[in-house]
Amino acid sequence: MGNNLSTNYVRWTWIVAIILALILLWLFLTNAGKRGCCHQAPAVAATADKTEASVNTTEAFSFSASADDFTSSGNADHIVWINNIDALKNILSNNLTVTGSDKAITLSGTVDAEEDKLQKGLELQAFFGSDVSIDNQITVTAEITSVAPLPSPSTAKLYFNSGYHRLPADGVAVLDETVTFLKNNPDKKAVISGFHDATGDLASNQELAKKRAQSVYDALFAAGISSDNIEMRKPVSSDGGGDLNEARRVEVSIE
């Protein structure tokens, strides 16, 4: 009886030991599997990081620049001017900025004159090269100074010798102010009136006064004044007055 109890005790001891061993083996194998899974995470993360880095190196190039600052993003490996930023900043003085890409940029800011705006555009085109299009949005701030119209010249008077109708020697000089004014004011016209003195035949004198006016007309036309801006107008009285030298004249007024 005692031997049987001893035998059963040993048997159950082994059975329990085997069960515990199996449990320990199962736990070991289970933990090993989990550790294997966890070790894969860094590899995935590394792959993700590598992909992210690949995306960044292929990002399109863009930039912004002023006289004091320069920022850019994307792949600049193909940008030939990227190592000459100081020259770009020198061009962008006086509150000018440029923004854009490797293909097109916008230039903005303010300058005092239209010539300055054009010059800055040309300088930047030379800097970036002909393959880059430039949208020049610079504002010209200088006020346009209004020029007051010149006053009409006083009536020009040309004096002729007795019996003569040829243009006097000083005729071109006397008409110079009138010619200049008419060229600058094409909406104005010259009105020509000829006179004579009181001596001699009236009909002949009137014809002589007309010829004198015609010689002045021809001088204005030869100086570049259009016939549309010249009018021959017979005065109410072609008698030039009591003073003989003053009477033999042609008057040119502006209307």
Side-chain angles (χ1 to χ4, degrees):
M1 183 69 179
N3 289 334
N4 289 336
L5 290 174
S6 177
T7 301
N8 289 334
Y9 176 80
V10 173
R11 183 184 302 120
W12 283 109
T13 299
W14 278 105
I15 291 174
V16 171
I18 292 172
I19 292 173
L20 290 175
L22 291 173
I23 291 174
L24 291 174
L25 178 61
W26 177 79
L27 290 174
F28 174 78
L29 294 176
T30 302
N31 288 334
K34 290 182 178 180
R35 287 195 298 271
C37 293
C38 293
H39 287 312
Q40 295 300 316
V44 174
T47 302
D49 292 341
K50 183 177 180 180
T51 303
E52 183 70 19
S54 177
V55 171
N56 288 336
T57 57
T58 58
E59 182 183 353
F61 176 79
S62 63
F63 77 100
S64 176
S66 67
D68 302 318
D69 188 37
F70 178 85
T71 59
S72 67
S73 62
N75 182 14
D77 292 344
H78 61 295
I79 306 300
V80 297
W81 51 263
I82 199 68
N83 295 321
N84 200 16
I85 302 303
D86 288 341
L88 176 60
K89 289 182 177 181
N90 289 335
I91 298 174
L92 297 175
S93 57
N94 301 324
N95 302 318
L96 299 180
T97 60
V98 289
T99 57
S101 65
D102 57 337
K103 296 298 183 182
I105 68 169
T106 299
L107 171 61
S108 57
T110 58
V111 293
D112 294 332
E114 190 68 31
E115 293 80 3
D116 296 333
K117 175 180 178 179
L118 177 61
Q119 181 63 30
K120 289 299 180 182
L122 293 175
E123 289 178 5
L124 284 176
Q125 193 69 76
F127 178 82
F128 289 113
S130 58
D131 293 337
V132 177
S133 62
I134 298 178
D135 182 12
N136 193 339
Q137 295 293 330
I138 291 178
T139 300
V140 179
T141 58
E143 295 182 357
I144 299 176
T145 304
S146 58
V147 179
L150 293 174
S152 298
S154 58
T155 298
K157 294 181 180 181
L158 296 90
Y159 297 98
F160 293 77
N161 292 327
S162 178
Y164 283 84
H165 60 80
R166 294 178 183 175
L167 194 73
D170 64 348
V172 173
V174 172
L175 293 173
D176 183 66
E177 185 179 5
T178 300
V179 170
T180 300
F181 180 83
L182 290 174
K183 287 182 177 181
N184 293 327
N185 298 272
D187 58 328
K188 300 293 185 178
K189 66 178 179 179
V191 177
I192 303 173
S193 298
F195 297 87
H196 57 83
D197 60 31
T199 62
D201 179 69
L202 178 60
S204 297
N205 285 341
Q206 289 177 339
E207 182 63 24
L208 182 59
K210 181 179 179 181
K211 289 181 178 179
R212 287 168 176 165
Q214 184 64 50
S215 67
V216 174
Y217 179 103
D218 293 341
L220 290 175
F221 187 80
I225 305 303
S226 169
S227 59
D228 295 334
N229 298 96
I230 309 173
E231 178 184 339
M232 298 268 287
R233 184 180 296 173
K234 183 179 179 180
V236 175
S237 174
S238 59
D239 188 338
D243 185 288
L244 297 182
N245 292 324
E246 179 72 19
R248 298 186 295 268
R249 70 184 186 276
V250 170
E251 295 183 352
V252 182
S253 59
I254 301 294
E255 291 185 358

